[in-house]
Amino acid sequence: MTLPRPADATQQKAGSGKPPVDPKAKYRRVMLKISGEALMGDQGYGLHPPTVRRIAEEVQSVQEMGVEICMVIGGGNIFRGLQGSAQGMERTTADYMGMLATVMNALAMQAALEALQIHTRVISAIRMDEVAEPYIRRRAVRHLEKKRVCIFAAGTGNPYFTTDTAATLRANEMSCEAIFMGKQVDGVYDKDPKKHADAVRYDNITYDEALLKNLKVMDASAFALARDNDLPIIVFALDEPGGFKGILAGEGTYTKVAG
């Protein structure tokens, strides 16, 4: 007896209701890491709803390309553990407070994305079942396969680790093909471009060159984890309209850090 052949990938995608991956997209599954400060807009603290919506629209434009998206958002717009520790608070307590701040930001981003009709899951490393799912790797992967945006909150669930490390860890666990670091500048420079007019931007740089030149792409633990797993880091300006989608298609201005 001859068994029927499985439908090809095009047929499967068409029948599943999922958007096919845009052939221009250089990656099929990515991690977007942004700081909590990115959600402040022109304010000095907290959340600026129009800014949160604008970032959600950037994510929407990439999600419509059929790309699977993970997100990690810092909590510095609400509370930063290191600053709390520097002011005399016990470090572990300060870091847990910072983790809770990331959950608040994740929920705000979820609300903005779902207002755009994008299915989203907030997945927390600290159990709080009433507001977020607990982190279970296989379940998170399944969400991505169903084209849901997964927002990983509460860092790694452990003090002394930054959200950079959480983003790199989750990116590796989710088999992401790259980490997109949304910054206030359009790449990695040899010095601060806001302070030095002669700052030079790198188009491409290796992990070892970034370490040797002390460029501080991300914190040391996160950077080592990316380098050891050969995970490319794309640094770009998050406030450039259409920038996330354009860079995913290989256009625009950015820096790629890779082996």
Side-chain angles (χ1 to χ4, degrees), residues 135-166:
Y135 175 68
I136 300 172
R137 178 183 171 275
R138 287 180 179 274
R139 181 185 292 175
V141 169
R142 185 60 177 147
H143 287 321
L144 291 172
E145 291 172 348
K146 291 182 177 180
K147 303 301 181 183
R148 297 167 181 160
V149 175
C150 288
I151 308 174
F152 296 102
T156 65
N158 301 286
Y160 296 95
F161 290 96
T162 67
T163 48
D164 281 352
T165 302

Side-chain angles (χ1 to χ4, degrees), residues 63-203:
Q63 201 256 1
E64 288 174 347
M65 297 174 74
V67 176
E68 297 169 1
I69 305 170
C70 307
M71 294 183 71
V72 167
I73 307 172
N77 57 320
I78 300 171
F79 188 86
R80 187 179 292 279
L82 278 173
Q83 290 179 354
S85 179
Q87 293 175 10
M89 186 178 291
E90 193 267 326
R91 173 65 188 271
T92 301
T93 298
D95 279 356
Y96 277 120
M97 291 175 67
M99 292 180 214
L100 296 179
T102 71
V103 177
M104 295 173 68
N105 285 338
L107 292 173
M109 182 57 65
Q110 179 183 47
L113 286 167
E114 297 208 339
L116 298 172
Q117 307 302 312
I118 297 174
H119 295 296
T120 310
R121 293 292 185 273
V122 172
I123 301 172
S124 174
I126 299 174
R127 289 196 73 106
M128 45 185 78
D129 295 347
E130 288 76 13
V131 298
E133 290 187 6
Y135 175 68
I136 300 172
R137 178 183 171 275
R138 287 180 179 274
R139 181 185 292 175
V141 169
R142 185 60 177 147
H143 287 321
L144 291 172
E145 291 172 348
K146 291 182 177 180
K147 303 301 181 183
R148 297 167 181 160
V149 175
C150 288
I151 308 174
F152 296 102
T156 65
N158 301 286
Y160 296 95
F161 290 96
T162 67
T163 48
D164 281 352
T165 302
T168 310
L169 174 64
R170 298 298 185 228
N172 279 299
E173 290 180 304
M174 296 297 105
S175 300
C176 291
E177 297 172 358
I179 299 177
F180 280 71
M181 300 282 291
K183 300 280 191 179
Q184 295 180 328
V185 292
D186 58 357
V188 177
Y189 286 78
D190 62 347
K191 47 192 162 185
D192 190 343
K194 295 184 178 180
K195 297 179 180 178
H196 303 276
D198 60 342
V200 176
R201 185 182 58 80
Y202 299 96
D203 288 329

Side-chain angles (χ1 to χ4, degrees), residues 13-71:
K13 287 176 182 175
S16 66
K18 301 176 184 177
V21 179
D22 190 320
K24 294 181 181 179
K26 298 183 69 174
Y27 304 103
R28 293 177 178 270
R29 180 179 294 173
V30 299
M31 167 65 72
L32 174 61
K33 166 61 172 67
I34 60 178
S35 67
E37 288 87 347
L39 306 184
M40 294 191 308
D42 295 330
Q43 303 174 154
Y45 178 82
L47 291 159
H48 184 237
T51 299
V52 177
R53 181 177 176 85
R54 182 187 61 77
I55 294 173
E57 289 170 348
E58 292 289 310
V59 174
Q60 179 188 39
S61 69
V62 170
Q63 201 256 1
E64 288 174 347
M65 297 174 74
V67 176
E68 297 169 1
I69 305 170
C70 307
M71 294 183 71

